[in-house]
Amino acid sequence: MFELNPVARGIALAFSGTVAMAVMTGSANAQATTELERAVVTGTRIVSEGAESASPMQQINSKAIEQSGVVNIQNILTQNPTVGTPTLTRSNSNFLVSGSGVSTVNLRNLGDDRTLVLVNGRRYVSGVPTAFAVDLNTIPTQFIDRIDILTGGQSALYGSDAVAGVVNIILKRDFSGLAVDAQYGKSFKGDDDQRSASLTFGTSGQRGFVMGHVGFSKQGAVYSRDRDFANVDQVDRGLLTGDPNDIFTTQRPFFSSFAPQGRVFFGGGSRTFDAAGNLIPFSTNGADVDGDGFGDGVGATGFNRSARRTIAVPTDRNLFAGTGEYEWTKGHSA
């Protein structure tokens, strides 16, 4: 064992530090010249507001609504896979008296009354008598900042009307100026005219905002007679026979025994009136009374209801809407 004097110890330390630096520099130069292979990212863990929420949440922003060009926000909501078939739309309210043309939303096909619709986090007035369903026709698309869709059941928080989930429509709070919107379109068949025009105005400041809207929209009818798949009255044979094997079998045509001019029952049979006002017999035993070659055993005589039915009912909407908020003092607003 021997001990270096202070001068020799300093030289040795300096030499070892130089070697270490040389080795590190060489390693860095080697890494700089190494070519990286192509990296393909198949997943991501980027922070998402919807993924971090307590329940799965999806958002539709105002830009997406504007680019879609929809007249009613129901049209963009139904494109979401979590939204089922609404109970009330233009295409399934043909036979309703009080709900024709109403637009509702139905999450997970659990029913409109089980889908809670909120506006700015608050319950909205129902648009259907004796029901909780909200008519989306009453909410201008120009007012909407975004739509939050909670697809998980929220009954523990909101009650039984949120079993399917919640659709929370958030309105704009910073709109200032004047916006004029007009559009026109029709289907490739030349029907279903879509016309709309609106005027939206508002102003906002540090203590509040106010926003108004005046608009109208007109959506034309689509008649069953103008579509090959629906121009003749038909029925699911399973409804007639009760046989499960007939569920996916359609009887076409299946003409009605109830003509627009009415049907009169007497003498063990029934009669109706022709175009000239003369009484003519109905078939009550499946006989081919009118000579059309069809007898179905339930009295159908050849009136084709589909000639007058609509696939989409015509809807006219005139909308006047306003919203605003003003902060009187800190923590108190109206």
Side-chain angles (χ1 to χ4, degrees), residues 153-243:
Q154 299 292 315
S155 58
L157 181 61
Y158 293 102
S160 60
D161 50 349
V163 168
V166 179
V167 176
N168 189 14
I169 301 173
I170 307 299
L171 304 183
K172 298 175 181 177
R173 299 177 58 89
D174 57 353
F175 181 85
S176 295
L178 179 67
V180 179
D181 178 70
Q183 58 178 313
Y184 172 80
K186 61 172 56 180
S187 73
F188 68 94
K189 290 284 190 178
D191 52 12
D192 194 21
D193 291 352
Q194 305 264 347
R195 306 178 186 184
S196 67
S198 66
L199 182 68
T200 307
F201 50 91
T203 182
S204 62
Q206 294 182 350
R207 301 186 63 178
F209 72 97
V210 64
M211 188 164 48
H213 173 87
V214 179
F216 83 92
S217 64
K218 185 178 181 66
Q219 296 172 287
V222 179
Y223 290 98
S224 298
R225 60 175 179 262
D226 297 327
R227 299 294 188 272
D228 293 338
F229 67 88
N231 59 5
V232 176
D233 207 5
Q234 55 190 344
V235 71
D236 184 352
R237 280 194 58 83
L239 298 176
L240 300 175
T241 65
D243 186 349

Coordinates of all heavy atoms in Angstrom, one line a residue, residues 153-243:
G153 N -76.1 5.3 -17.6 CA -77.3 5.6 -16.8 C -77.0 6.6 -15.7 O -76.0 6.5 -15.0
Q154 N -77.8 7.6 -15.6 CA -77.6 8.6 -14.6 C -78.8 8.7 -13.6 O -79.1 9.8 -13.1 CB -77.4 10.0 -15.3 CG -76.2 10.0 -16.2 CD -74.9 10.0 -15.4 OE1 -74.8 10.7 -14.4 NE2 -74.0 9.2 -15.8
S155 N -79.5 7.6 -13.4 CA -80.7 7.7 -12.6 C -80.4 8.0 -11.1 O -81.2 8.5 -10.4 CB -81.5 6.3 -12.7 OG -80.7 5.3 -12.3
A156 N -79.2 7.6 -10.7 CA -78.9 7.8 -9.3 C -78.8 9.3 -9.0 O -79.0 9.8 -7.9 CB -77.6 7.1 -8.9
L157 N -78.4 10.1 -10.1 CA -78.2 11.5 -9.9 C -79.5 12.3 -10.3 O -79.9 13.3 -9.6 CB -77.0 12.0 -10.8 CG -76.7 13.5 -10.7 CD1 -76.3 13.9 -9.3 CD2 -75.5 13.8 -11.7
Y158 N -80.1 11.9 -11.4 CA -81.2 12.7 -12.0 C -82.6 12.1 -11.8 O -83.6 12.7 -11.9 CB -81.0 13.0 -13.4 CG -79.8 13.9 -13.8 CD1 -78.6 13.3 -14.2 CD2 -79.9 15.2 -13.6 CE1 -77.6 14.2 -14.5 CE2 -78.9 16.1 -13.9 CZ -77.7 15.5 -14.4 OH -76.6 16.3 -14.6
G159 N -82.7 10.8 -11.5 CA -83.9 10.1 -11.4 C -84.2 9.2 -12.6 O -83.3 9.0 -13.4
S160 N -85.4 8.6 -12.6 CA -85.7 7.5 -13.5 C -85.8 8.0 -15.0 O -85.7 7.2 -15.9 CB -87.0 6.9 -13.2 OG -88.1 7.8 -13.2
D161 N -85.9 9.3 -15.2 CA -85.9 9.8 -16.5 C -84.5 9.9 -17.2 O -84.4 10.3 -18.3 CB -86.6 11.2 -16.6 CG -86.0 12.2 -15.6 OD1 -85.3 11.8 -14.7 OD2 -86.4 13.4 -15.7
A162 N -83.5 9.5 -16.4 CA -82.2 9.5 -17.0 C -81.6 8.1 -17.0 O -80.3 7.9 -16.9 CB -81.3 10.4 -16.2
V163 N -82.4 7.0 -17.0 CA -81.9 5.7 -17.0 C -81.0 5.4 -18.2 O -80.0 4.7 -18.1 CB -83.1 4.7 -17.0 CG1 -82.7 3.3 -17.3 CG2 -83.8 4.7 -15.7
A164 N -81.4 5.9 -19.4 CA -80.7 5.7 -20.6 C -79.5 6.6 -20.7 O -78.5 6.3 -21.4 CB -81.5 5.9 -21.8
G165 N -79.5 7.8 -20.1 CA -78.4 8.7 -20.2 C -79.0 10.2 -20.2 O -80.1 10.4 -20.0
V166 N -78.0 11.1 -20.5 CA -78.4 12.5 -20.4 C -77.8 13.2 -21.7 O -76.7 12.9 -22.1 CB -77.8 13.2 -19.2 CG1 -78.1 14.7 -19.2 CG2 -78.3 12.5 -17.9
V167 N -78.6 14.0 -22.3 CA -78.2 14.9 -23.4 C -78.2 16.3 -22.9 O -79.3 16.9 -22.7 CB -79.1 14.7 -24.6 CG1 -78.6 15.7 -25.7 CG2 -79.0 13.3 -25.2
N168 N -77.1 16.9 -22.7 CA -77.0 18.3 -22.1 C -76.6 19.2 -23.2 O -75.5 19.1 -23.8 CB -75.9 18.3 -21.0 CG -76.0 19.6 -20.2 OD1 -76.9 20.4 -20.3 ND2 -74.9 19.9 -19.4
I169 N -77.5 20.1 -23.6 CA -77.2 21.1 -24.6 C -76.7 22.4 -24.0 O -77.5 23.0 -23.2 CB -78.5 21.4 -25.4 CG1 -79.0 20.0 -26.0 CG2 -78.3 22.4 -26.5 CD1 -80.4 20.1 -26.7
I170 N -75.5 22.8 -24.3 CA -74.9 24.0 -23.8 C -75.0 25.1 -24.8 O -74.6 25.0 -25.9 CB -73.4 23.7 -23.4 CG1 -73.3 22.5 -22.5 CG2 -72.8 24.9 -22.7 CD1 -74.0 22.6 -21.2
L171 N -75.6 26.2 -24.3 CA -75.8 27.3 -25.2 C -74.6 28.3 -25.2 O -73.9 28.3 -24.2 CB -77.1 28.1 -24.8 CG -78.4 27.3 -24.8 CD1 -79.6 28.2 -24.5 CD2 -78.6 26.6 -26.1
K172 N -74.4 29.1 -26.2 CA -73.3 30.0 -26.3 C -73.5 31.1 -25.3 O -74.7 31.5 -25.0 CB -73.3 30.6 -27.7 CG -73.0 29.6 -28.8 CD -73.0 30.2 -30.2 CE -72.8 29.2 -31.3 NZ -72.9 29.8 -32.6
R173 N -72.4 31.7 -24.8 CA -72.5 32.8 -23.8 C -71.7 34.0 -24.3 O -71.7 35.0 -23.7 CB -72.0 32.3 -22.5 CG -72.8 31.2 -21.8 CD -72.1 30.8 -20.5 NE -72.0 31.9 -19.6 CZ -72.9 32.2 -18.7 NH1 -74.1 31.5 -18.7 NH2 -72.8 33.2 -17.9
D174 N -71.0 33.8 -25.4 CA -70.1 34.9 -25.9 C -70.4 35.3 -27.3 O -69.5 35.8 -28.0 CB -68.6 34.4 -25.7 CG -68.3 33.1 -26.5 OD1 -69.3 32.5 -27.0 OD2 -67.2 32.7 -26.6
F175 N -71.6 35.1 -27.7 CA -72.0 35.5 -29.1 C -72.2 37.0 -29.2 O -73.0 37.6 -28.4 CB -73.2 34.7 -29.5 CG -73.6 35.0 -31.0 CD1 -73.1 34.4 -32.0 CD2 -74.6 36.0 -31.2 CE1 -73.4 34.6 -33.3 CE2 -74.9 36.3 -32.5 CZ -74.4 35.6 -33.6
S176 N -71.5 37.6 -30.1 CA -71.7 39.1 -30.3 C -71.7 39.3 -31.8 O -70.9 38.8 -32.6 CB -70.5 39.9 -29.7 OG -70.5 39.8 -28.3
G177 N -72.7 40.1 -32.2 CA -72.8 40.4 -33.6 C -74.2 39.9 -34.2 O -75.2 39.7 -33.5
L178 N -74.1 39.7 -35.5 CA -75.3 39.4 -36.3 C -74.9 38.3 -37.2 O -74.0 38.3 -38.0 CB -75.8 40.6 -37.0 CG -77.1 40.4 -37.9 CD1 -78.3 40.1 -37.0 CD2 -77.3 41.6 -38.8
A179 N -75.7 37.2 -37.2 CA -75.5 36.1 -38.1 C -76.8 35.8 -38.9 O -77.9 35.7 -38.4 CB -75.1 34.8 -37.3
V180 N -76.6 35.7 -40.2 CA -77.7 35.4 -41.1 C -77.4 34.1 -41.8 O -76.3 33.8 -42.3 CB -77.9 36.5 -42.2 CG1 -79.0 36.2 -43.2 CG2 -78.1 37.9 -41.6
D181 N -78.4 33.2 -41.8 CA -78.2 31.9 -42.3 C -79.4 31.5 -43.2 O -80.6 31.8 -42.8 CB -78.1 30.8 -41.2 CG -78.0 29.4 -41.7 OD1 -76.9 29.1 -42.3 OD2 -78.9 28.6 -41.5
A182 N -79.1 31.0 -44.4 CA -80.2 30.5 -45.3 C -79.7 29.3 -46.1 O -78.5 29.3 -46.4 CB -80.6 31.7 -46.2
Q183 N -80.6 28.4 -46.3 CA -80.2 27.2 -47.1 C -81.4 26.6 -47.8 O -82.5 26.8 -47.4 CB -79.5 26.2 -46.2 CG -80.3 25.7 -45.0 CD -79.6 24.6 -44.2 OE1 -79.0 23.7 -44.8 NE2 -79.6 24.8 -42.9
Y184 N -81.1 25.8 -48.8 CA -82.2 25.2 -49.6 C -81.6 23.8 -50.1 O -80.4 23.8 -50.5 CB -82.6 26.0 -50.7 CG -83.6 25.3 -51.7 CD1 -84.9 25.2 -51.3 CD2 -83.1 24.7 -52.9 CE1 -85.8 24.5 -52.1 CE2 -84.0 24.0 -53.7 CZ -85.3 23.9 -53.3 OH -86.2 23.2 -54.1
G185 N -82.4 22.8 -50.1 CA -82.0 21.5 -50.7 C -83.2 20.7 -50.9 O -84.3 21.0 -50.5
K186 N -83.0 19.6 -51.6 CA -84.1 18.6 -51.8 C -83.4 17.2 -52.1 O -82.2 17.1 -52.3 CB -84.9 19.0 -53.0 CG -84.2 19.1 -54.4 CD -85.1 19.3 -55.5 CE -86.0 20.5 -55.4 NZ -86.9 20.7 -56.5
S187 N -84.3 16.2 -52.0 CA -83.8 14.8 -52.2 C -83.5 14.6 -53.7 O -83.9 15.3 -54.6 CB -84.8 13.8 -51.7 OG -85.9 13.8 -52.6
F188 N -82.8 13.5 -53.9 CA -82.4 13.1 -55.3 C -83.7 12.7 -56.1 O -83.6 12.6 -57.4 CB -81.4 12.0 -55.4 CG -81.9 10.7 -54.9 CD1 -82.4 9.7 -55.8 CD2 -81.9 10.4 -53.5 CE1 -82.9 8.5 -55.3 CE2 -82.4 9.1 -53.1 CZ -82.9 8.2 -54.0
K189 N -84.8 12.5 -55.4 CA -86.1 12.1 -56.1 C -86.9 13.4 -56.4 O -87.9 13.3 -57.0 CB -86.9 11.2 -55.2 CG -86.4 9.8 -55.0 CD -86.6 9.0 -56.3 CE -86.3 7.5 -56.0 NZ -86.6 6.7 -57.2
G190 N -86.3 14.6 -56.0 CA -87.0 15.8 -56.3 C -88.0 16.2 -55.3 O -88.7 17.2 -55.5
D191 N -88.2 15.5 -54.2 CA -89.1 15.9 -53.1 C -88.3 16.2 -51.9 O -87.1 16.4 -51.9 CB -90.1 14.8 -52.9 CG -89.5 13.4 -52.7 OD1 -88.3 13.4 -52.5 OD2 -90.2 12.4 -52.7
D192 N -89.0 16.3 -50.7 CA -88.4 16.6 -49.4 C -87.7 17.9 -49.5 O -86.5 18.0 -49.1 CB -87.5 15.5 -49.0 CG -87.1 15.6 -47.5 OD1 -87.8 16.3 -46.8 OD2 -86.0 15.0 -47.1
D193 N -88.3 18.9 -50.0 CA -87.7 20.3 -50.1 C -87.4 20.7 -48.7 O -88.2 20.6 -47.7 CB -88.7 21.3 -50.7 CG -88.9 21.0 -52.2 OD1 -88.2 20.2 -52.7 OD2 -89.8 21.6 -52.8
Q194 N -86.2 21.3 -48.5 CA -85.7 21.8 -47.2 C -85.3 23.3 -47.4 O -84.4 23.6 -48.1 CB -84.4 21.0 -46.8 CG -84.6 19.5 -46.7 CD -85.0 19.0 -45.3 OE1 -84.9 19.7 -44.3 NE2 -85.4 17.8 -45.2
R195 N -86.1 24.1 -46.8 CA -85.9 25.5 -46.8 C -85.8 26.1 -45.4 O -86.6 25.8 -44.6 CB -87.0 26.3 -47.6 CG -87.2 25.7 -49.0 CD -88.4 26.4 -49.7 NE -88.7 25.7 -51.0 CZ -89.6 26.2 -51.8 NH1 -90.3 27.3 -51.5 NH2 -89.9 25.6 -52.9
S196 N -84.8 26.9 -45.2 CA -84.7 27.6 -43.9 C -84.0 28.9 -44.0 O -83.1 29.1 -44.9 CB -84.0 26.7 -42.9 OG -82.6 26.5 -43.3
A197 N -84.3 29.8 -43.1 CA -83.7 31.1 -43.0 C -83.8 31.6 -41.6 O -84.8 31.3 -40.9 CB -84.3 32.1 -44.0
S198 N -82.7 32.2 -41.1 CA -82.7 32.6 -39.7 C -81.9 33.9 -39.5 O -81.0 34.1 -40.3 CB -82.3 31.5 -38.8 OG -80.9 31.2 -39.0
L199 N -82.2 34.6 -38.5 CA -81.4 35.8 -38.1 C -81.1 35.6 -36.6 O -82.0 35.5 -35.8 CB -82.2 37.0 -38.3 CG -81.5 38.4 -38.0 CD1 -80.4 38.6 -39.0 CD2 -82.6 39.5 -38.1
T200 N -79.8 35.6 -36.3 CA -79.4 35.4 -34.9 C -78.5 36.7 -34.5 O -77.6 37.1 -35.3 CB -78.5 34.2 -34.7 OG1 -79.3 33.0 -35.2 CG2 -78.2 33.9 -33.2
F201 N -78.8 37.2 -33.4 CA -78.1 38.5 -32.9 C -77.9 38.4 -31.4 O -78.6 37.7 -30.7 CB -79.0 39.7 -33.3 CG -80.4 39.6 -32.8 CD1 -80.8 40.1 -31.6 CD2 -81.3 39.0 -33.6 CE1 -82.1 40.0 -31.1 CE2 -82.7 38.9 -33.2 CZ -83.0 39.4 -32.0
G202 N -76.8 39.1 -31.0 CA -76.5 39.1 -29.6 C -75.3 40.0 -29.3 O -74.6 40.5 -30.1
T203 N -75.1 40.1 -28.0 CA -74.0 40.9 -27.5 C -73.6 40.3 -26.1 O -74.4 39.7 -25.4 CB -74.3 42.4 -27.3 OG1 -73.1 43.1 -26.9 CG2 -75.4 42.6 -26.3
S204 N -72.3 40.4 -25.8 CA -71.8 39.9 -24.5 C -70.8 40.8 -23.9 O -70.1 41.6 -24.6 CB -71.2 38.5 -24.7 OG -70.1 38.5 -25.6
G205 N -70.7 40.7 -22.6 CA -69.7 41.5 -21.9 C -69.2 40.8 -20.7 O -69.5 39.6 -20.5
Q206 N -68.6 41.5 -19.8 CA -68.0 40.9 -18.6 C -69.1 40.5 -17.6 O -68.9 39.6 -16.8 CB -67.0 41.9 -17.9 CG -65.8 42.1 -18.7 CD -64.8 43.0 -18.0 OE1 -65.1 43.6 -16.9 NE2 -63.6 43.2 -18.5
R207 N -70.2 41.2 -17.6 CA -71.3 40.9 -16.6 C -72.4 40.1 -17.2 O -73.3 39.8 -16.4 CB -71.8 42.3 -16.0 CG -70.7 43.1 -15.4 CD -71.2 44.3 -14.7 NE -72.1 44.0 -13.6 CZ -72.7 44.9 -12.8 NH1 -72.5 46.2 -13.0 NH2 -73.5 44.5 -11.9
G208 N -72.4 39.9 -18.4 CA -73.5 39.0 -19.0 C -73.6 39.0 -20.5 O -72.7 39.5 -21.2
F209 N -74.7 38.5 -21.0 CA -74.9 38.4 -22.4 C -76.4 38.4 -22.7 O -77.2 38.1 -21.8 CB -74.2 37.1 -23.0 CG -74.9 35.9 -22.6 CD1 -75.8 35.3 -23.5 CD2 -74.7 35.3 -21.3 CE1 -76.5 34.1 -23.1 CE2 -75.4 34.1 -21.0 CZ -76.2 33.5 -21.9
V210 N -76.7 38.6 -24.0 CA -78.1 38.5 -24.4 C -78.0 38.0 -25.9 O -77.1 38.4 -26.6 CB -78.9 39.8 -24.3 CG1 -78.3 40.9 -25.2 CG2 -80.4 39.6 -24.6
M211 N -79.0 37.1 -26.2 CA -78.9 36.6 -27.6 C -80.4 36.3 -28.0 O -81.2 35.9 -27.2 CB -78.1 35.2 -27.6 CG -77.9 34.6 -28.9 SD -76.6 33.4 -28.8 CE -77.1 32.4 -27.4
G212 N -80.7 36.6 -29.3 CA -82.0 36.4 -29.8 C -82.0 35.7 -31.2 O -80.9 35.7 -31.8
H213 N -83.1 35.1 -31.5 CA -83.1 34.4 -32.8 C -84.5 34.4 -33.4 O -85.6 34.3 -32.7 CB -82.8 32.9 -32.5 CG -83.0 32.0 -33.7 ND1 -82.0 31.8 -34.6 CD2 -84.0 31.2 -34.1 CE1 -82.4 31.0 -35.5 NE2 -83.6 30.6 -35.2
V214 N -84.6 34.7 -34.7 CA -85.8 34.6 -35.4 C -85.6 33.8 -36.7 O -84.6 34.0 -37.4 CB -86.3 36.0 -35.9 CG1 -87.6 36.0 -36.7 CG2 -86.5 36.9 -34.6
G215 N -86.4 32.8 -36.9 CA -86.1 31.9 -38.0 C -87.4 31.1 -38.4 O -88.3 31.0 -37.7
F216 N -87.3 30.6 -39.6 CA -88.3 29.7 -40.1 C -87.7 28.5 -40.9 O -86.6 28.7 -41.4 CB -89.4 30.4 -40.9 CG -89.0 30.5 -42.4 CD1 -89.3 29.6 -43.3 CD2 -88.2 31.6 -42.8 CE1 -88.9 29.7 -44.6 CE2 -87.8 31.7 -44.1 CZ -88.2 30.8 -45.0
S217 N -88.4 27.4 -40.9 CA -87.9 26.3 -41.7 C -89.1 25.6 -42.3 O -90.2 25.5 -41.6 CB -87.1 25.3 -40.9 OG -87.8 24.7 -39.9
K218 N -89.0 25.0 -43.5 CA -90.1 24.3 -44.1 C -89.5 23.1 -44.7 O -88.6 23.1 -45.6 CB -90.7 25.2 -45.2 CG -91.9 24.6 -45.9 CD -92.5 25.6 -46.9 CE -93.7 25.1 -47.6 NZ -94.8 24.9 -46.7
Q219 N -90.0 22.0 -44.3 CA -89.6 20.7 -44.8 C -90.8 20.0 -45.5 O -91.8 19.8 -44.9 CB -89.1 19.8 -43.7 CG -87.8 20.4 -43.0 CD -87.5 19.6 -41.7 OE1 -88.1 19.7 -40.7 NE2 -86.4 18.8 -41.8
G220 N -90.6 19.7 -46.8 CA -91.7 19.1 -47.6 C -91.9 17.7 -47.3 O -91.1 17.0 -46.7
A221 N -93.1 17.2 -47.8 CA -93.5 15.8 -47.6 C -92.7 14.9 -48.5 O -92.3 15.2 -49.6 CB -95.0 15.7 -47.8
V222 N -92.6 13.6 -48.0 CA -92.1 12.5 -48.9 C -93.2 11.5 -48.8 O -93.5 10.9 -47.8 CB -90.8 11.9 -48.3 CG1 -90.4 10.8 -49.2 CG2 -89.7 13.0 -48.3
Y223 N -93.8 11.2 -50.0 CA -95.0 10.3 -50.1 C -94.5 8.9 -50.4 O -93.6 8.7 -51.2 CB -96.0 10.8 -51.1 CG -96.7 12.0 -50.7 CD1 -96.3 13.3 -51.2 CD2 -97.8 12.0 -49.9 CE1 -97.0 14.4 -50.8 CE2 -98.5 13.1 -49.5 CZ -98.1 14.4 -49.9 OH -98.7 15.5 -49.6
S224 N -95.2 7.9 -49.8 CA -94.9 6.5 -50.0 C -95.0 6.1 -51.4 O -94.3 5.3 -51.9 CB -95.8 5.6 -49.1 OG -95.6 5.9 -47.7
R225 N -96.0 6.7 -52.1 CA -96.2 6.4 -53.5 C -95.0 6.7 -54.4 O -95.0 6.2 -55.6 CB -97.5 7.1 -54.0 CG -97.4 8.6 -54.0 CD -98.6 9.2 -54.6 NE -98.6 10.7 -54.6 CZ -99.3 11.4 -53.7 NH1 -100.0 10.7 -52.7 NH2 -99.2 12.7 -53.7
D226 N -94.1 7.5 -54.0 CA -93.0 7.9 -54.8 C -91.7 7.1 -54.5 O -90.7 7.4 -55.0 CB -92.7 9.4 -54.5 CG -93.8 10.3 -54.9 OD1 -94.5 10.0 -55.9 OD2 -94.0 11.4 -54.3
R227 N -91.9 6.0 -53.7 CA -90.7 5.2 -53.4 C -91.2 3.7 -53.7 O -92.2 3.3 -53.3 CB -90.3 5.3 -52.0 CG -89.8 6.7 -51.6 CD -88.5 7.0 -52.3 NE -87.9 8.2 -51.8 CZ -88.2 9.5 -52.2 NH1 -89.1 9.6 -53.2 NH2 -87.6 10.5 -51.7
D228 N -90.3 3.0 -54.5 CA -90.7 1.6 -54.9 C -90.9 0.7 -53.7 O -91.7 -0.2 -53.8 CB -89.6 1.1 -55.8 CG -89.5 1.8 -57.2 OD1 -90.5 2.4 -57.5 OD2 -88.5 1.8 -57.8
F229 N -90.1 0.9 -52.7 CA -90.2 -0.1 -51.5 C -91.5 0.2 -50.7 O -91.8 -0.6 -49.8 CB -89.0 0.0 -50.7 CG -88.8 1.3 -49.9 CD1 -89.4 1.5 -48.7 CD2 -88.1 2.4 -50.5 CE1 -89.3 2.7 -48.0 CE2 -88.0 3.6 -49.8 CZ -88.6 3.8 -48.6
A230 N -92.2 1.3 -50.9 CA -93.3 1.6 -50.0 C -94.5 2.1 -50.8 O -95.5 2.5 -50.2 CB -92.9 2.8 -49.1
N231 N -94.6 1.9 -52.1 CA -95.7 2.4 -52.8 C -96.9 1.5 -52.8 O -98.0 1.9 -53.3 CB -95.3 2.8 -54.3 CG -94.8 1.5 -55.0 OD1 -94.8 0.4 -54.5 ND2 -94.3 1.7 -56.2
V232 N -96.8 0.3 -52.3 CA -97.9 -0.6 -52.2 C -98.1 -1.0 -50.8 O -97.1 -1.4 -50.1 CB -97.7 -1.8 -53.1 CG1 -98.9 -2.8 -53.0 CG2 -97.6 -1.4 -54.6
D233 N -99.3 -1.0 -50.3 CA -99.6 -1.4 -48.9 C -99.2 -2.9 -48.7 O -99.5 -3.8 -49.5 CB -101.1 -1.2 -48.6 CG -101.3 -1.0 -47.2 OD1 -100.4 -0.8 -46.4 OD2 -102.5 -0.9 -46.8
Q234 N -98.6 -3.2 -47.6 CA -98.1 -4.5 -47.3 C -98.1 -4.7 -45.7 O -98.3 -3.8 -45.0 CB -96.6 -4.7 -47.8 CG -95.7 -3.6 -47.3 CD -94.3 -3.7 -48.0 OE1 -94.0 -4.7 -48.6 NE2 -93.5 -2.7 -47.8
V235 N -97.9 -5.9 -45.3 CA -98.0 -6.3 -43.9 C -97.1 -7.5 -43.7 O -96.8 -8.3 -44.5 CB -99.4 -6.7 -43.5 CG1 -99.9 -8.0 -44.1 CG2 -99.6 -6.7 -42.0
D236 N -96.6 -7.5 -42.4 CA -95.8 -8.7 -42.0 C -96.7 -9.9 -41.8 O -97.7 -9.8 -41.0 CB -95.1 -8.3 -40.7 CG -94.2 -9.4 -40.2 OD1 -94.2 -10.5 -40.7 OD2 -93.4 -9.1 -39.2
R237 N -96.5 -10.9 -42.5 CA -97.3 -12.1 -42.4 C -97.4 -12.7 -41.0 O -98.4 -13.4 -40.7 CB -96.9 -13.2 -43.4 CG -97.4 -12.9 -44.9 CD -97.2 -14.1 -45.7 NE -98.0 -15.3 -45.2 CZ -99.3 -15.5 -45.4 NH1 -100.0 -14.6 -46.1 NH2 -99.8 -16.6 -44.9
G238 N -96.4 -12.5 -40.3 CA -96.4 -13.0 -38.9 C -97.5 -12.4 -38.0 O -98.0 -13.1 -37.1
L239 N -97.9 -11.2 -38.4 CA -99.0 -10.6 -37.7 C -100.3 -11.3 -38.0 O -101.3 -11.3 -37.2 CB -99.1 -9.1 -38.0 CG -97.9 -8.3 -37.6 CD1 -98.1 -6.8 -38.1 CD2 -97.7 -8.3 -36.1
L240 N -100.4 -11.9 -39.2 CA -101.7 -12.6 -39.6 C -101.7 -14.0 -39.2 O -102.8 -14.5 -38.7 CB -101.8 -12.5 -41.2 CG -101.8 -11.1 -41.8 CD1 -101.8 -11.2 -43.3 CD2 -103.0 -10.3 -41.3
T241 N -100.6 -14.7 -39.3 CA -100.6 -16.2 -39.1 C -100.2 -16.5 -37.6 O -100.5 -17.6 -37.2 CB -99.7 -16.9 -40.1 OG1 -98.4 -16.5 -39.8 CG2 -100.1 -16.5 -41.5
G242 N -99.4 -15.7 -37.0 CA -98.9 -16.0 -35.7 C -97.7 -17.0 -35.7 O -97.2 -17.4 -34.7
D243 N -97.3 -17.4 -36.9 CA -96.2 -18.3 -37.1 C -94.9 -17.6 -37.1 O -94.7 -16.7 -37.9 CB -96.4 -19.0 -38.5 CG -95.4 -20.2 -38.7 OD1 -94.5 -20.3 -37.8 OD2 -95.6 -20.9 -39.6

